[in-house]
Amino acid sequence: MQQYQSDVEAANALKAAYQQIRAEIGKVIIGQDEVVKSVLISIFSNGHCLLVGVPGLAKTLLVQTVAKVLDLNFNRIQFTPDLMPSDIIGSEILGEDRNFKFIRGPVFANIILADEINRTPPKTQAALLEAMQEKSVTAAGVTHHLEQPFFVLATQNPIEQEGTYPLPEAQLDRFMFNVALNYPTLQEEIQVIKNTTGSVKPEVHKILNGKQIVFFQQLVRNIPITDHVLEYAVKLAAKTRPNTALATPDVNRLLSWGAGPRASQFLVLGAKCHAVISGKYSPDVEDVQAVAKAILRHRIVRSYQAEAEGISADQLIEKLF
């Protein structure tokens, strides 16, 4: 792996690699620029990402393409109502030598695509909690560490409620980003149809490997941040908590629950990464705001009043800016 003379040189290398990765992904994924950006920020910040969108918006294809470009091991888990925790983390079996041995499940990979994660009961969803937070799994009292880097990129269909199970708050809080996918523009959809109905399939090239990603994750943590920007990020998360010192009357009226300290951590890490890929060596308030919606929207609970007035989570977050 290449050695860098300084953090500034390494930051420039991360920015260049990010632009190359975007270009490679763009061969397959048309449009969805902000979605791709959010996924890559979550990866370089060592976070997980929840992709929410209706069927057919290339959520699964995006994750597969990211795995190819980053040269990482990739496993897809199709979540269904009858999926069991052992189907994810693995289980012990009795071998021919009469000793139990652990058979690893699909969670032992660098990138896990948790496809339609809300189609399985909370008991099975919870099998991912330890893996996402501790980067390990425990079976029969033995802890097995996962290979780094490790990311969970989950997809969820927001419009179909039959046969689904809402994600528990503890599960949602493990995701750094909740990214909403929208329909493509007319021109983007025309290009998508051209690319997907012909005989030529675009090939993507590998840009980074696992060791380089782990190095850049540490680099993001080393990026300096001024006290006033860090305080802004912490206050932004604290403002979402009703009936606390920083809560406004609007927050008290429109929110029944706010974001916890993990949101503050992700706001700082996300701002650092956003700054580096934007060509800056220290984040400012704008970098915090750039990642705030995707970090906070799944961590705040709207009140009945907000739902009755049709005020979305994103609108509430904008009020806090």
Side-chain angles (χ1 to χ4, degrees):
M1 184 176 142
Q2 182 179 349
Q3 298 295 318
Y4 300 102
Q5 298 299 318
S6 66
D7 281 353
V8 171
E9 184 181 345
N12 289 332
L14 173 54
K15 179 188 175 185
Y18 166 79
Q19 292 172 338
Q20 288 179 288
I21 292 167
R22 286 288 297 267
E24 290 299 314
I25 294 174
K27 294 178 181 178
V28 179
I29 305 297
I30 307 300
Q32 305 290 9
D33 290 339
E34 288 303 311
V35 175
V36 174
K37 184 178 184 179
S38 295
V39 169
L40 294 178
I41 288 176
S42 71
I43 287 175
F44 288 122
S45 302
N46 200 12
H48 309 287
C49 198
L50 177 63
L51 304 175
V52 181
V54 299
L57 296 184
K59 299 185 292 295
T60 303
L61 181 61
L62 169 60
V63 179
Q64 292 172 335
T65 306
V66 168
K68 288 180 183 177
V69 174
L70 299 182
D71 193 20
L72 297 174
N73 296 327
F74 166 78
N75 277 335
R76 171 179 175 173
I77 306 174
Q78 185 64 54
F79 280 70
T80 56
D82 60 347
L83 196 72
M84 297 297 290
S86 59
D87 296 327
I88 297 174
I89 65 175
S91 59
E92 284 199 325
I93 66 169
L94 188 63
E96 294 178 356
D97 57 356
R98 292 301 196 183
N99 291 319
F100 283 98
K101 61 180 180 179
F102 180 68
I103 303 299
R104 293 185 168 194
V107 76
F108 286 87
N110 296 124
I111 291 186
I112 302 300
L113 170 57
D115 210 3
E116 296 195 83
I117 190 172
N118 59 329
R119 287 203 170 276
T120 200
K123 173 185 176 181
T124 305
Q125 292 175 13
L128 283 175
L129 288 176
E130 182 186 359
M132 293 172 71
Q133 185 63 31
E134 309 297 336
K135 308 297 172 67
S136 64
V137 297
T138 302
V142 179
T143 299
H144 305 268
H145 295 282
L146 300 170
E147 182 185 350
Q148 298 301 307
F150 173 77
F151 316 105
V152 174
L153 299 175
T155 68
Q156 183 175 323
N157 177 357
I159 59 173
E160 194 170 8
Q161 303 304 322
E162 188 173 345
T164 63
Y165 303 83
L167 268 65
E169 298 302 323
Q171 180 80 61
L172 280 172
D173 199 42
R174 295 304 195 279
F175 288 102
M176 177 178 184
F177 282 156
N178 178 333
V179 181
L181 283 80
N182 296 315
Y183 290 111
T185 65
L186 180 61
Q187 292 305 315
E188 288 172 348
E189 189 165 355
I190 289 172
Q191 189 61 47
V192 167
I193 304 308
K194 282 183 180 179
N195 290 359
T196 55
T197 57
S199 58
V200 178
K201 288 188 176 181
E203 289 188 12
V204 296
H205 299 95
K206 298 170 183 177
I207 304 299
L208 295 179
N209 58 38
K211 287 184 178 180
Q212 290 171 307
I213 293 169
V214 172
F215 171 80
F216 284 134
Q217 286 175 343
Q218 188 58 48
L219 171 70
V220 167
R221 286 184 168 271
N222 292 341
I223 296 297
I225 183 171
T226 60
D227 287 344
H228 86 275
V229 175
L230 187 144
E231 185 177 329
Y232 176 83
V234 175
K235 282 185 174 179
L236 185 61
K239 284 179 182 179
T240 66
R241 301 162 192 165
N243 304 313
T244 58
L246 293 177
T248 64
D250 271 348
V251 167
N252 291 332
R253 184 174 65 90
L254 298 173
L255 288 180
S256 55
W257 204 255
R262 193 179 277 123
S264 303
Q265 295 171 340
F266 284 142
L267 283 169
V268 171
L269 284 172
K272 286 183 175 185
C273 188
H274 188 274
V276 172
I277 64 175
S278 302
K280 296 181 282 188
Y281 303 117
S282 181
D284 51 31
V285 168
E286 286 72 23
D287 293 304
V288 177
Q289 292 178 347
V291 298
K293 286 183 182 179
I295 289 174
L296 295 176
R297 65 164 61 108
H298 58 300
R299 292 184 164 87
I300 60 176
V301 179
R302 293 179 298 154
S303 68
Y304 290 117
Q305 186 74 26
E307 293 182 9
E309 295 180 17
I311 300 175
S312 68
D314 285 5
Q315 289 173 323
L316 287 168
I317 295 167
E318 285 178 1
K319 286 177 179 286
L320 299 177
F321 290 166

